[in-house]
Coordinates of all heavy atoms in Angstrom, one line a residue:
I57 N -238.5 61.3 27.2 CA -238.1 62.0 28.4 C -237.2 61.1 29.2 O -237.5 60.0 29.4 CB -239.3 62.4 29.3 CG1 -240.4 63.2 28.5 CG2 -238.9 63.2 30.5 CD1 -241.7 63.4 29.2
L58 N -236.1 61.7 29.7 CA -235.2 61.0 30.6 C -235.7 61.0 32.0 O -236.2 62.1 32.4 CB -233.8 61.5 30.5 CG -232.8 60.9 29.5 CD1 -233.3 61.2 28.1 CD2 -231.4 61.3 29.8
T59 N -235.7 59.9 32.7 CA -236.1 59.9 34.1 C -235.0 60.6 34.9 O -233.9 60.9 34.3 CB -236.2 58.5 34.6 OG1 -234.9 57.8 34.5 CG2 -237.2 57.7 33.8
P60 N -235.2 61.0 36.1 CA -234.1 61.6 36.9 C -232.9 60.8 36.9 O -231.8 61.3 36.8 CB -234.8 61.8 38.3 CG -236.2 61.9 38.0 CD -236.5 61.0 36.8
A61 N -233.1 59.5 37.1 CA -231.9 58.6 37.1 C -231.2 58.6 35.7 O -230.0 58.6 35.6 CB -232.3 57.1 37.5
G62 N -232.0 58.6 34.7 CA -231.4 58.6 33.3 C -230.7 59.8 33.0 O -229.6 59.8 32.4
A63 N -231.2 61.0 33.5 CA -230.5 62.3 33.2 C -229.2 62.3 34.0 O -228.2 62.8 33.5 CB -231.4 63.4 33.7
E64 N -229.2 61.8 35.2 CA -227.9 61.9 36.0 C -226.9 60.9 35.4 O -225.7 61.2 35.4 CB -228.2 61.5 37.5 CG -227.0 61.4 38.4 CD -226.3 62.8 38.5 OE1 -226.9 63.8 38.2 OE2 -225.1 62.7 39.0
I65 N -227.4 59.7 35.0 CA -226.4 58.8 34.4 C -225.9 59.3 33.1 O -224.7 59.2 32.8 CB -227.1 57.4 34.2 CG1 -227.4 56.8 35.6 CG2 -226.2 56.5 33.4 CD1 -228.2 55.5 35.5
A66 N -226.7 60.0 32.3 CA -226.3 60.6 31.0 C -225.2 61.7 31.3 O -224.2 61.8 30.6 CB -227.4 61.1 30.3
R67 N -225.5 62.5 32.4 CA -224.5 63.5 32.7 C -223.1 62.9 33.1 O -222.1 63.4 32.6 CB -225.0 64.3 33.9 CG -224.2 65.6 34.2 CD -224.7 66.3 35.4 NE -224.5 65.5 36.7 CZ -223.3 65.4 37.3 NH1 -222.3 66.1 36.9 NH2 -223.3 64.7 38.4
R68 N -223.1 61.9 33.9 CA -221.9 61.3 34.3 C -221.3 60.5 33.1 O -220.0 60.4 33.0 CB -222.1 60.3 35.5 CG -222.5 61.1 36.7 CD -222.8 60.1 37.9 NE -223.2 60.9 39.0 CZ -222.6 60.9 40.2 NH1 -221.4 60.3 40.3 NH2 -223.0 61.6 41.2
A69 N -222.1 60.0 32.2 CA -221.6 59.2 31.1 C -220.8 60.1 30.2 O -219.8 59.7 29.6 CB -222.7 58.6 30.3
R70 N -221.1 61.4 30.1 CA -220.4 62.3 29.2 C -218.9 62.4 29.7 O -218.0 62.4 28.9 CB -221.0 63.7 29.3 CG -222.4 63.8 28.6 CD -222.9 65.2 28.6 NE -224.3 65.3 28.3 CZ -224.8 65.3 27.1 NH1 -223.9 65.2 26.1 NH2 -226.1 65.4 26.9
T71 N -218.7 62.5 31.0 CA -217.4 62.6 31.6 C -216.6 61.3 31.3 O -215.4 61.3 31.0 CB -217.4 62.9 33.1 OG1 -218.1 64.1 33.3 CG2 -216.0 63.0 33.7
I72 N -217.3 60.2 31.5 CA -216.7 58.9 31.3 C -216.2 58.7 29.8 O -215.1 58.3 29.5 CB -217.6 57.7 31.6 CG1 -217.9 57.7 33.1 CG2 -217.1 56.4 31.1 CD1 -219.0 56.8 33.6
L73 N -217.1 59.1 28.9 CA -216.8 59.0 27.5 C -215.6 60.0 27.1 O -214.8 59.6 26.2 CB -218.0 59.3 26.6 CG -219.2 58.3 26.8 CD1 -220.4 58.8 26.0 CD2 -218.8 57.0 26.3
A74 N -215.6 61.1 27.7 CA -214.5 62.1 27.5 C -213.1 61.4 27.9 O -212.1 61.5 27.2 CB -214.7 63.4 28.2
E75 N -213.2 60.8 29.1 CA -211.9 60.1 29.5 C -211.5 58.9 28.6 O -210.4 58.7 28.4 CB -212.1 59.6 31.0 CG -212.4 60.7 32.0 CD -211.1 61.5 32.2 OE1 -210.0 61.1 31.9 OE2 -211.2 62.7 32.7
V76 N -212.5 58.2 28.1 CA -212.3 57.1 27.2 C -211.6 57.6 25.9 O -210.7 57.1 25.4 CB -213.5 56.3 26.9 CG1 -213.3 55.3 25.8 CG2 -214.0 55.6 28.1
E77 N -212.2 58.8 25.4 CA -211.6 59.4 24.2 C -210.1 59.8 24.5 O -209.3 59.7 23.6 CB -212.4 60.6 23.8 CG -212.0 61.2 22.5 CD -212.0 60.3 21.3 OE1 -212.7 59.3 21.3 OE2 -211.2 60.6 20.4
D78 N -209.9 60.4 25.7 CA -208.5 60.7 26.0 C -207.6 59.5 26.0 O -206.4 59.6 25.5 CB -208.5 61.4 27.4 CG -209.0 62.8 27.4 OD1 -209.3 63.3 26.3 OD2 -209.2 63.4 28.5
I79 N -208.0 58.4 26.5 CA -207.2 57.2 26.5 C -207.0 56.8 25.1 O -205.8 56.4 24.7 CB -208.0 56.0 27.3 CG1 -208.0 56.4 28.8 CG2 -207.3 54.7 27.0 CD1 -208.9 55.4 29.6

Side-chain angles (χ1 to χ4, degrees):
I57 305 173
L58 268 68
T59 65
E64 177 62 17
I65 291 172
R67 185 184 70 80
R68 293 176 182 244
R70 294 183 194 278
T71 301
I72 293 170
L73 294 174
E75 294 291 341
V76 170
E77 182 61 23
D78 286 350
I79 291 171

